[in-house]
């Protein structure tokens, strides 16, 4: 899915803060992009704006659709897999159930009844198993999330985002709280996604950003850099 914003602005009046300030950018379908910047630069707010989840002015198009249109917002979100900071999993549920929740916008009444009985609908079971094998958590699907390591949790969060077959992945600080080995594995998994999937990874980590062929750097809600490489000057 291609992405186009024009003069996108997000104000948080109660905090007297302009989180995104007149941002105009284009991301082609299938691009893998790092969204770099320090805390408060507007990275997470921009990701939310792409889903129509925060009040904004200006223009946003995701795959030619307007996420701020009531008629098109659902289609945008159904085509998007989201990995939130910290994974955003339910500790008391199993890894299988957490992963399966990613497909909930597509569930039929029969799917809901199957889930309430503690089972995974058959139409998702094969894909879930394939993704779990690919990302090394197949043997942990029956374990409660609270018993998993940080790296395993992040892989479950990735599987949850991928299960519905999205055309866009939005990952907000996917290496947050991970040790270097697991952080590298998380980035490897995102970089390995096929070119049919547009990937945007928000990060404050220069090393993570350097793994992606294009880096968009934000500072105070504005685009400060757009290129293949960047140095620590973004933080000065």
């Amino acid at each position: 899915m291609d992405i186009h914003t024009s003069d996108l602005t997000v104000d948080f009046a109660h905090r007297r803060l302009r989180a995104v300030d007149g941002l105009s950018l284009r991301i082609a379908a299938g691009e893998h992009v790092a969204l770099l910047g320090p805390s408060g630069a507007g990275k997470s707010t921009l990701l939310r704006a792409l889903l129509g989840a925060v009040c904004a002015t200006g223009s946003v198009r995701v795959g030619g659709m307007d996420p701020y249109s009531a008629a098109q917002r659902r289609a945008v979100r159904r085509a998007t897999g989201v990995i939130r900071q910290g994974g955003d999993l339910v500790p008391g549920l199993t890894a299988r159930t957490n992963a399966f929740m990613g497909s909930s916008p597509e569930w039929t009444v029969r799917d809901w009844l199957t889930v309430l009985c503690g089972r995974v609908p058959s139409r998702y079971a094969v894909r879930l198993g394939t993704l779990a094998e690919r990302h090394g958590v197949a043997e942990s699907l029956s374990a409660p999330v609270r018993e998993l390591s940080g790296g395993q949790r992040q892989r479950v969060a990735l599987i949850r985002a991928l299960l519905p077959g999205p055309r866009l992945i939005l990952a907000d600080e996917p290496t947050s709280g991970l040790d270097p080995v697991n952080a590298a594995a998380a980035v490897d998994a995102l970089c390995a996604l096929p070119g049919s999937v547009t990937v945007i990874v928000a990060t404050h980590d220069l090393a993570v950003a350097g793994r992606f062929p294009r880096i968009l750097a934000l500072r105070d809600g504005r685009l400060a850099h757009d290129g293949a490489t960047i140095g620590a000057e973004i933080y000065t």
Side-chain angles (χ1 to χ4, degrees):
M1 298 178 76
D2 64 311
I3 292 169
H4 176 212
T5 72
S6 178
D7 198 29
L8 178 64
T9 299
V10 178
D11 287 315
F12 293 127
H14 64 289
R15 294 161 55 188
R16 297 182 180 179
L17 172 68
R18 174 156 290 184
V20 177
D21 190 1
L23 187 63
S24 297
L25 58 85
R26 288 182 180 271
I27 297 173
E31 268 198 282
H32 290 191
V33 177
L35 188 62
L36 178 69
S39 178
K43 306 185 299 298
S44 297
T45 302
L46 174 58
L47 297 187
R48 292 173 63 196
L50 296 181
L51 295 172
V54 59
C55 292
T57 59
S59 173
V60 182
R61 294 294 182 271
V62 179
M65 298 178 288
D66 181 1
Y68 285 90
S69 162
Q72 299 178 27
R73 183 182 303 121
R74 181 173 174 82
V76 171
R77 294 182 180 180
R78 286 169 67 130
T80 304
V82 180
I83 303 172
R84 295 178 178 83
Q85 188 169 353
D88 193 30
L89 303 177
V90 181
L93 297 180
T94 65
R96 177 181 289 103
T97 302
N98 271 280
F100 177 56
M101 294 296 287
S103 63
S104 59
E106 307 287 339
W107 290 359
T108 64
V109 172
R110 178 173 291 183
D111 290 333
W112 279 104
L113 292 174
T114 302
V115 172
L116 290 173
C117 292
R119 301 192 303 272
V120 175
S122 57
R123 66 194 183 105
Y124 294 107
V126 173
R127 178 166 172 78
L128 177 57
T130 300
L131 288 170
E133 287 284 354
R134 182 181 304 162
H135 295 287
V137 292
E139 296 182 358
S140 303
L141 286 179
S142 298
V145 162
R146 61 172 172 264
E147 297 179 5
L148 302 183
S149 69
Q152 289 173 318
R153 293 182 189 185
Q154 198 62 24
R155 278 173 273 168
V156 172
L158 175 61
I159 292 169
R160 182 179 64 180
L162 293 175
L163 187 62
R167 291 185 289 147
L168 170 64
I169 288 288
L170 303 178
D172 191 4
E173 297 285 358
T175 61
S176 176
L178 298 182
D179 62 68
V181 172
N182 281 312
V187 177
D188 287 344
L190 291 165
C191 290
L193 293 177
S196 58
V197 181
T198 305
V199 178
I200 304 177
V201 176
T203 181
H204 66 277
D205 191 324
L206 282 168
V208 171
R211 296 285 308 279
F212 292 85
R214 183 181 179 191
I215 301 171
L216 300 174
L218 298 184
R219 179 186 292 158
D220 298 326
R222 302 185 183 95
L223 186 64
H225 173 88
D226 182 353
T229 61
I230 191 172
E233 64 271 9
I234 188 65
Y235 294 104
T236 60

